[in-house]
Amino acid sequence: MADVMNIQRHVRLGSNAGQSMTRRDGLLKVTGQAPYAADNRPAGMLHAVTATAGIARGRVAHLDTGAAMAHPGVVKVYTPANRPPLAVHPDTKIHGFAWRTEALQDDTVRYAGQPIAVVVAETLEAATEGARLLNPRYEAEAPRIGLDGNNPYSPETVSIGRPPSLEAGDMDAARAGAARHLETVVETAAQYHNALEPHAIVAQWFGDRLEIDTPNQAIGLAKQSFATYLGIEPSQILIRSPFLGGGFGSKAILFGAQLLAVIVAKDLDRPVKLALRRDQMFGPVGHRPATRQTLRLDLDEHGHIAALDHHTLAVASSFDDFIESASNASHSVYATAAMRTTHSAVRTDTGTPGPMRAPGEAPGSAALEVAVDEAAYALGMDPLAFRLRNYAETDPSTGMAFSSKALRECYAQAADLFGWNDRPLEPRTMRQGRLLKGWGMGTAQFPCPMFQAAAHATLRADGSAVVETSAADMGQGAWTALAQIAADGLGIDVDRLEFRSGHSDLPDAGVAGGSGHTATAGTALFNAGADTVRQLADLATNDPASPLFGSGNAGVTARGGRLYRNDDDSRSEAYEDILARAGLDLVRGEGKGAREGDAQRAMFSHGGVFAEVLVDPDLGQIRVSRLVGAFAAGRIVNPQLARSQLLGGMIWGVGFALHEEAIHDARTGRFTNNDLAGYHIPVNADIPMIEALTVHEDDPFVNTLGIKGVGELGVTGTVGAIANAVWHATGVRPRRFPIHPETLI
């Protein structure tokens, strides 16, 4: 084991990781050659369209299947009366990342937009018209929508299996001794995934073997899920997911329409494609639920947070339990002697919520940053000075040391670039022409999870290599960054590397989510390369004909496709020469990626975000005129891609703060804005100036490569920074997201 680690230690210093390399898949995408799931058109393919519920609660009393079947081109209509059987009930939760789903198990309607039938036809147009002709009739009940009007309940878990509450320190004593008590209530609206690529699936059976093309963030889990529902072995299933047009969490979980497409294809013995329309993305595939968060901050006479109490009331579905873990965002940001975080939920007639970029952390940090800003002003302190006074040197929720924390440096660099020192303390004192100007800040923080992953690395006789793992690239550039890591593990230039990924017959790369994919899959790839180099070193150092003979495995270093003797750099040998003398065409290594043992340190990425807004005092219209963020996230594998991810997260924060809001008709439970005309997201004109800096940070504990995540980090500080800038401009404290102009007038 010591020899292997020595190889890793040296190869880690390779020249690929750390470089701003262009995306390896960029040319395919800009020329239209990148294959997405819905692009697949096998011979004889049929089109499936789901008919969706027009009520939010009740049952389907009648479907005019005869009218649908009479339409030219319609092949078959599936309802609960004739749906092919599944091996297990769709409400079965087969693992922690599985949702109860709708697959025509009965005539119950649980939310508006739920699939209630599937029409299969020779053309998409015929299937669409057949679905329209079903003309459903319902026995409707009054819908339960929103945070009010339903009795809250206490969930057993929040997010995916996390405890619903935490208490550290003596809350009663801390509050009793506090000099000032503040309470802040913040609401966040429901938000829905609107990836550029809607969900789609093409399913084709070859006897008892199933092939699926679908965008997926967790191919291994999806394969397990399909196998369980269908009652077949995972080895009988091949899932291809070469490219994803965005995922944000929604493409990590199997949903009912996917199951229906698969069993329909089996029943008809023909390939079937099903692609959701934009409006069908609202409901069946997860979303970020609405929350109402109450934060109580108790401050001592010196401006320290003595106690922090964060409660979240979140919307849940009527039939499943995914609770947005917003209160957990307060666990590890600010120092406090006592802390309590709790959650409750209300059952509503909506689709089940699910992970959405920075789940829990995004709404939770938004509320926390508003409360902290309010506390700073109550004490007459600069918001940055208040945060520095309450800087957490150790994790307040666990008492553990941080694996690394360069948050002070993030604050300093972002504040300096922004010009924060010129900020007046009082609100409504800055103008740009007739517009009110405000400056605000927020702290960004996101945990650093690792999942389970595996990889193979094969070194060929000519010194080139191929690496394999089923990683998911949602547009973040994962295949480029992972290839850079893999090349360093092998000690070769990335141009000599073939990267194979995106289908389930390859080693399982785990979940592309939680900002942990690069660390997890990257570690597996690096270890596979290191295992290959170890075998190569054994060949060379045990061969009397090699200039490295007698060096021992630990006595050599790999770089540039050669092994070098550590104590004599002039003695080296090319990989291809070692293989040729050994009479081998290849050497293959295997690697795993996972966090070993229980975490003994608190592991987070950090950042500071500073925002400037301009507000029209007459109309209440808000424009974000400047955003500056600085972030520390361990070893940055590809600075160009990391910056792109951070900018994307900050732009997402603009959407959270000012734009995104799903609206239901309270009478029917139906959406009133389930399209991109009514559901607003930021466009280029909303982002005039934005900058993201990365701060150097070495983390020897988070994993062997020192890699943290950046995909969701930028969201967390930005929402609060914008809200606090709006308050500074107007003197009106935002209490609800998105911030509506009418609340400022």
Side-chain angles (χ1 to χ4, degrees):
M1 184 64 181
D3 290 347
V4 175
M5 292 306 296
N6 184 75
I7 291 291
Q8 288 185 340
R9 181 171 59 83
H10 288 290
V11 178
R12 181 179 176 180
L13 304 178
S15 60
N16 298 291
Q19 302 301 311
S20 288
M21 296 182 179
T22 302
R23 297 171 190 260
R24 290 162 67 92
D25 56 347
L27 183 61
L28 290 175
K29 288 181 175 177
V30 299
T31 57
Q33 299 178 71
Y36 292 85
D39 295 329
N40 202 31
R41 297 177 178 86
M45 185 185 76
L46 296 169
H47 295 264
V49 168
T50 58
T52 56
I55 63 169
R57 187 181 183 193
R59 61 177 293 270
V60 180
H62 176 74
L63 291 168
D64 195 346
T65 56
M69 283 297 299
H71 186 76
V74 170
V75 174
K76 194 166 183 178
V77 177
Y78 292 89
T79 72
N82 69 336
R83 187 211 72 186
L86 291 167
V88 298
H89 195 276
D91 277 346
T92 304
K93 302 193 78 163
I94 55 180
H95 52 68
F97 233 76
W99 264 226
R100 296 188 176 103
T101 189
E102 302 78 36
L104 305 184
Q105 59 263 43
D106 55 41
D107 60 10
T108 303
V109 175
R110 305 196 279 200
Y111 61 89
Q114 173 189 318
I116 57 173
V118 175
V119 178
V120 185
E122 298 288 349
T123 65
L124 176 61
E125 293 79 7
T128 302
E129 181 64 9
R132 188 188 69 80
L133 291 170
L134 287 172
N135 194 24
R137 295 198 299 270
Y138 306 98
E139 292 177 1
E141 299 177 44
R144 299 163 294 179
I145 299 295
L147 289 161
D148 297 310
N150 300 304
N151 293 323
Y153 72 98
S154 298
E156 295 182 1
T157 62
V158 295
S159 186
I160 300 174
R162 300 185 67 185
S165 62
L166 176 145
E167 188 159 349
D170 190 333
M171 288 291 294
D172 293 337
R175 282 182 167 169
R180 190 182 292 266
H181 312 275
L182 299 173
E183 180 174 300
T184 303
V185 180
V186 175
E187 292 191 5
T188 64
Q191 302 171 0
Y192 279 75
H193 298 91
N194 272 289
L196 187 63
E197 174 202 30
H199 291 58
I201 183 170
V202 178
Q204 185 171 14
W205 289 83
F206 298 89
D208 291 331
R209 179 170 173 80
L210 170 64
E211 293 191 6
I212 296 171
D213 293 270
T214 191
N216 193 275
Q217 297 174 231
I219 294 177
L221 283 178
K223 188 173 183 176
Q224 176 187 339
S225 298
F226 276 114
T228 302
Y229 283 122
L230 298 170
I232 61 178
E233 293 298 319
S235 59
Q236 296 173 250
I237 301 174
L238 171 65
I239 300 176
R240 289 182 290 260
S241 183
F243 293 96
L244 286 78
F248 314 120
S250 72
K251 291 174 181 170
I253 299 165
L254 187 150
F255 64 100
Q258 289 176 306
L259 272 180
L260 294 172
V262 168
I263 60 177
V264 163
K266 179 71 169 177
D267 186 56
L268 298 175
D269 196 24
R270 288 178 64 178
V272 170
K273 176 192 289 187
L274 186 149
L276 298 187
R277 300 189 308 267
R278 178 61 56 186
D279 63 292
Q280 292 175 332
M281 295 285 289
F282 288 73
V285 296
H287 65 282
R288 196 194 310 281
T291 71
R292 179 179 297 137
Q293 302 173 57
T294 303
L295 289 100
R296 296 181 176 90
L297 271 64
D298 300 275
L299 311 173
D300 69 15
E301 64 274 16
H302 303 295
H304 296 106
I305 301 173
L308 192 164
D309 191 337
H310 190 164
H311 176 72
T312 295
L313 174 66
V315 166
S317 74
S318 65
F319 56 96
D320 207 347
D321 292 289
F322 179 93
I323 312 303
E324 189 80 354
S325 55
S327 295
N328 291 0
S330 287
H331 283 174
S332 308
V333 186
Y334 298 111
T336 180
M339 172 188 300
R340 179 165 57 215
T341 60
T342 53
H343 296 83
S344 59
V346 292
R347 298 267 185 211
T348 64
D349 299 310
T350 64
T352 300
M356 186 171 181
R357 197 174 191 181
E361 302 290 333
S365 64
L368 174 64
E369 291 305 306
V370 168
V372 166
D373 207 73
E374 191 168 357
Y377 184 69
L379 295 171
M381 291 184 66
D382 174 81
L384 177 54
F386 180 76
R387 285 167 171 82
L388 289 170
R389 181 164 297 183
N390 291 280
Y391 191 90
E393 301 292 353
T394 58
D395 181 3
S397 67
T398 64
M400 291 193 297
F402 290 101
S403 60
S404 62
K405 186 176 182 181
L407 179 56
R408 280 196 179 91
E409 293 82 353
C410 294
Y411 284 153
Q413 291 192 28
D416 181 63
L417 181 59
F418 188 84
W420 183 259
N421 285 341
D422 296 329
R423 178 188 184 273
L425 188 62
E426 291 299 319
R428 211 176 174 94
T429 55
M430 301 172 69
R431 286 186 177 264
Q432 183 168 309
R434 60 176 293 275
L435 301 178
L436 300 173
K437 180 191 291 188
W439 289 359
M441 69 162 297
T443 300
Q445 182 168 287
F446 199 79
C448 302
M450 285 188 70
F451 306 108
Q452 300 283 336
H456 296 157
T458 303
L459 185 68
R460 297 165 170 150
D462 63 357
S464 66
V466 57
V467 296
E468 299 171 311
T469 191
S470 60
D473 195 320
M474 297 177 282
Q476 78 273 42
W479 289 3
T480 303
L482 292 175
Q484 291 175 256
I485 296 169
D488 277 352
L490 285 158
I492 63 174
D493 188 83
V494 71
D495 292 337
R496 304 208 70 191
L497 183 82
E498 179 185 348
F499 188 83
R500 294 178 183 170
S501 197
H503 67 84
S504 64
D505 281 356
L506 299 176
D508 185 5
V511 180
S515 296
H517 197 43
T518 303
T520 305
T523 299
L525 287 161
F526 186 90
N527 289 341
D531 184 38
T532 303
V533 172
R534 177 191 58 77
Q535 297 176 55
L536 199 66
D538 286 340
L539 291 172
T541 58
N542 292 319
D543 185 352
S546 171
L548 302 173
F549 175 66
S551 302
N553 182 298
V556 297
T557 299
R559 66 177 185 271
R562 301 181 71 88
L563 288 179
Y564 290 83
R565 183 163 174 160
N566 293 337
D567 59 359
D568 184 357
D569 206 43
S570 65
R571 296 177 65 178
S572 69
E573 190 169 19
Y575 290 176
E576 51 265 41
D577 294 338
I578 299 171
L579 289 171
R581 191 166 46 253
L584 297 174
D585 292 328
L586 56 87
V587 174
R588 179 172 175 169
E590 298 184 355
K592 301 289 186 182
R595 181 161 289 132
E596 297 181 2
D598 294 332
Q600 298 301 310
R601 304 227 171 200
M603 300 174 184
F604 295 90
S605 299
H606 297 95
V609 181
F610 295 79
E612 176 185 272
V613 300
L614 300 174
V615 181
D616 188 309
D618 299 320
L619 303 177
Q621 291 178 335
I622 307 166
R623 293 295 304 276
V624 176
S625 49
R626 284 196 299 148
L627 271 179
V628 174
F631 305 93
R635 185 185 189 189
I636 302 299
V637 176
N638 187 314
Q640 177 176 314
L641 297 180
R643 179 175 180 271
S644 175
Q645 283 290 282
L646 291 167
L647 292 177
M650 294 168 74
I651 293 168
W652 192 292
V654 175
F656 192 122
L658 301 180
H659 300 282
E660 291 198 53
E661 178 179 19
I663 302 172
H664 291 86
D665 183 331
R667 299 166 300 174
T668 64
R670 295 173 63 173
F671 289 99
T672 64
N673 66 335
N674 54 342
D675 54 45
L676 293 182
Y679 185 89
H680 296 163
I681 56 175
V683 297
N684 284 343
D686 296 308
I687 315 293
M689 186 277 173
I690 182 170
E691 187 54 77
L693 314 173
T694 52
V695 174
H696 177 78
E697 182 180 61
D698 293 316
D699 193 322
F701 301 101
V702 68
N703 49 61
T704 57
L705 302 180
I707 293 172
K708 297 180 177 181
V710 296
E712 292 154 291
L713 177 64
V715 184
T716 60
T718 304
V719 185
I722 293 170
N724 295 333
V726 169
W727 170 83
H728 190 241
T730 64
V732 178
R733 182 70 67 181
R735 303 293 187 192
R736 188 183 186 280
F737 294 102
I739 305 168
H740 289 178
E742 59 267 28
T743 64
L744 306 179
I745 299 174

